[in-house]
Amino acid sequence: MITLKSPHEIDSMRRAGKITAAARALAGEMVKPGVTTQEIDRAVERFIRSQGAVPSFLHYNGFPASVCISINDEVIHGIPGKRVLKEGDIVSVDVGAYMEGFHGDCAATFPCGKISPEAQRLIDVTRQSFFAGIRLAREGQRVQDISAAVQAYVEENGFSVVREYVGHGVGAKMHEAPEVPNFGRPGHGARLLRGMTLAVEPMVNAGAAAITQLSDGWTVKTADGRWSAHYENTILITDGEPEILTAPAI
């Protein structure tokens, strides 16, 4: 069932979203050669707790860390550990914070040092596909209007969208109805209503859309070994343009 948030609940989601966005920014600042993914995870957890929130992902369905950190051909759900970041890597960071009964959820892919023009283009197209999608995130539109716009932008730029994992409603639970795919047909899916809060999150592969899951039960990689990028924000459907609840601080 899709839940519409009250003004009081939206205020709580704004606070959770602000912390989540700041945690994403902190992680991005730490993406440098020589840093381990575990160092990023621990710093982000400390920050989230220092703000009076708790990491949404820690122990969620058994996930063992506070941040999903996925590198190069890893699409999502990478587990932080002793892996050392190297010059030229691209690093996807997905983070959530839970505060006052509500979650914020956001992600981005960051360059580690100097990266190739092709890798930078993948990051840029992934991020821009999010904004192409949320132009349609208006009251009265349909969920798949967002989906189709994301897909069109990605495919026009020669990349592909992951199909097995999708965006979602977010609120008191990390994953709520409705699902928000990154592919679809305009005019289909649930109607967007004021007070809906959605995590819109393009996952974009440089090569084919096919993916595979590693034996750790979490990490998802591209099947062809080409690189992948991820960009996500929590948005609120309003009576006008959508509000990005996890917008980066200016």
Side-chain angles (χ1 to χ4, degrees):
M1 184 177 78
I2 297 172
T3 62
L4 303 181
K5 311 307 188 292
S6 70
H8 175 74
E9 291 170 333
I10 289 167
D11 283 343
S12 293
M13 289 200 66
R14 286 191 180 105
R15 286 188 281 272
K18 185 176 181 180
I19 294 168
T20 308
R24 174 179 58 186
L26 171 62
E29 291 167 3
M30 293 184 68
V31 172
K32 296 176 182 177
V35 175
T36 69
T37 55
Q38 188 175 66
E39 288 173 323
I40 296 173
D41 178 71
R42 289 176 174 170
V44 169
E45 180 179 359
R46 285 193 301 270
F47 171 77
I48 290 173
R49 293 190 186 280
S50 76
Q51 301 301 302
V54 296
S56 298
F57 298 171
L58 185 61
H59 307 312
Y60 182 76
N61 290 337
F63 189 73
S66 298
V67 187
C68 298
I69 303 179
S70 309
I71 302 170
N72 299 339
D73 63 337
E74 297 173 350
V75 182
I76 50 172
H77 300 165
I79 300 173
K82 296 180 180 179
R83 183 169 178 177
V84 178
L85 301 181
K86 301 192 300 292
E87 184 90 13
D89 286 340
I90 63 171
V91 182
S92 297
V93 175
D94 192 355
V95 62
Y98 181 73
M99 186 180 191
E100 300 176 7
F102 291 91
H103 294 274
D105 188 9
C106 65
T109 302
F110 298 96
C112 184
K114 185 177 181 180
I115 63 173
S116 70
E118 295 79 10
Q120 186 63 56
R121 183 168 175 270
L122 175 62
I123 291 173
D124 293 343
V125 167
T126 302
R127 184 179 185 278
Q128 193 55 42
S129 72
F130 165 85
F131 290 100
I134 69 164
R135 285 203 296 266
L136 282 299
R138 288 177 171 265
E139 189 174 24
Q141 299 285 128
R142 299 278 185 174
V143 165
Q144 287 194 29
D145 294 335
I146 300 172
S147 308
V150 170
Q151 180 183 10
Y153 188 86
V154 168
E155 293 179 352
E156 286 165 5
N157 281 278
F159 298 139
S160 59
V161 294
V162 170
R163 307 244 170 170
E164 291 85 349
Y165 294 89
V166 297
H168 50 89
V170 60
K173 296 180 179 179
M174 172 58 64
H175 293 93
E176 299 182 349
E179 291 191 341
V180 186
N182 295 305
F183 61 95
R185 294 188 295 163
H188 288 71
R191 190 171 296 281
L192 300 176
L193 301 173
R194 196 181 320 178
M196 289 173 64
T197 46
L198 307 172
V200 178
E201 53 175 320
M203 290 155 271
V204 178
N205 294 349
I211 58 172
T212 186
Q213 189 172 61
L214 298 190
S215 59
D216 64 17
W218 286 102
T219 308
V220 174
K221 301 181 79 168
T222 61
D224 60 9
R226 301 283 298 278
W227 286 10
S228 186
H230 186 194
Y231 190 77
E232 174 187 23
N233 281 303
T234 301
I235 68 167
L236 167 69
I237 304 301
T238 73
D239 59 357
E241 292 186 2
E243 179 182 345
I244 300 177
L245 300 178
T246 51
I250 297 174

